[in-house]
Amino acid sequence: MIVIGLTGGIGMGKTTVAKIFAAHSIPCFNADDEVHLLQAPGGRAIPALDRAFPGTVENGVLNRARLREWVLGDDVAMRRLEFIMHPLVRQREAHFRSAAFRAGRRAVLLDLPLLFETGSENRFTKIITVSAPLDVQIERVRRRGLPDEQIEAIIARQMPDAEKRRRADYVVRTGLSKFHTVRRVRRIIQGLLP
């Protein structure tokens, strides 16, 4: 089974690219979606987050904004959060990959924003980095309602876009047009699954 890694900084367009793969019947795992499920009320991460970050969980509900404020700019707190979340996400990913393999899928796509940051390159057949100009990236993230200070802090914590592009097998630039993005992704799929 071909295992394709999809990565890129916040607001680069990974979701758009993943949807194109899904439209070509390639199952997609989204690490961010899994994080949201794990942190939802009743999610497996809630008890550990409550212990590690007192005051961020109230009545079983995580205050994501409060948690974000806690960890941004604090390397020790961020490592504590990653120590909780990364193993749980990896378990969900392993389940996804096993199910796809048992179903006889030819390929899967794993959308992992921190693919390079976590040293996960050796787990993939090929890696795609999604990239966009910085001004486009910032504007996309602003639409999510985050203040500029948090956007800057998130981008600063991530590996530079140029480094991700350098390390990838393929680069998809999403700052041009949807047509350009779709055409580029289709060519990648045709090359991976002739």
Side-chain angles (χ1 to χ4, degrees):
M1 183 172 73
I2 296 169
V3 181
I4 307 157
L6 179 68
T7 195
I10 187 171
M12 289 296 194
K14 295 180 298 298
T15 300
T16 297
V17 171
K19 285 179 181 176
I20 300 168
F21 273 88
H24 284 78
S25 300
I26 297 172
C28 302
F29 174 88
N30 184 302
D32 284 345
D33 288 349
E34 293 299 325
V35 167
H36 284 278
L37 289 172
L38 290 163
Q39 294 178 350
R44 288 183 56 208
I46 293 295
L49 292 172
D50 191 20
R51 287 188 301 274
F53 304 99
T56 60
V57 177
E58 296 175 10
N59 301 316
V61 177
L62 176 66
N63 183 324
R64 293 177 59 84
R66 190 173 296 158
L67 178 63
R68 190 181 308 115
E69 288 171 8
W70 190 316
V71 300
L72 281 179
D74 184 336
D75 289 342
V76 173
M78 183 61 80
R79 281 194 296 275
R80 190 177 335 135
L81 176 62
E82 291 170 346
F83 183 78
I84 293 167
M85 297 308 303
H86 288 183
L88 294 172
V89 172
R90 281 273 179 96
Q91 288 174 5
R92 298 296 306 142
E93 177 195 324
H95 177 75
F96 170 86
R97 288 172 69 149
S98 295
F101 182 78
R102 287 192 309 274
R105 297 292 193 161
R106 291 178 60 201
V108 293
L109 181 81
L110 305 180
D111 178 348
L112 305 176
L114 301 178
L115 188 155
F116 292 122
E117 289 89 337
T118 57
S120 300
E121 299 94 319
N122 61 346
R123 296 171 32 222
F124 300 95
T125 311
K126 294 290 181 184
I127 297 172
I128 301 167
T129 289
V130 182
S131 178
L134 182 60
D135 60 331
V136 173
Q137 178 188 22
I138 290 171
E139 185 54 37
R140 287 175 178 168
V141 182
R142 274 186 188 137
R143 285 188 231 133
R144 299 180 190 178
L146 290 180
D148 284 355
E149 313 82 61
Q150 286 188 5
I151 295 170
E152 290 170 14
I154 291 168
I155 291 172
R157 282 199 57 81
Q158 295 180 334
M159 180 181 288
D161 181 48
E163 179 64 12
K164 287 191 178 196
R165 290 194 315 263
R166 187 187 70 73
R167 294 171 69 171
D169 298 295
Y170 303 98
V171 175
V172 176
R173 298 185 188 275
T174 63
L176 302 170
S177 68
K178 180 83 177 263
F179 172 79
H180 179 277
T181 301
V182 171
R183 185 175 63 182
R184 174 71 174 134
V185 174
R186 284 181 177 163
R187 285 182 181 163
I188 292 170
I189 293 170
Q190 289 166 358
L192 290 171
L193 300 171

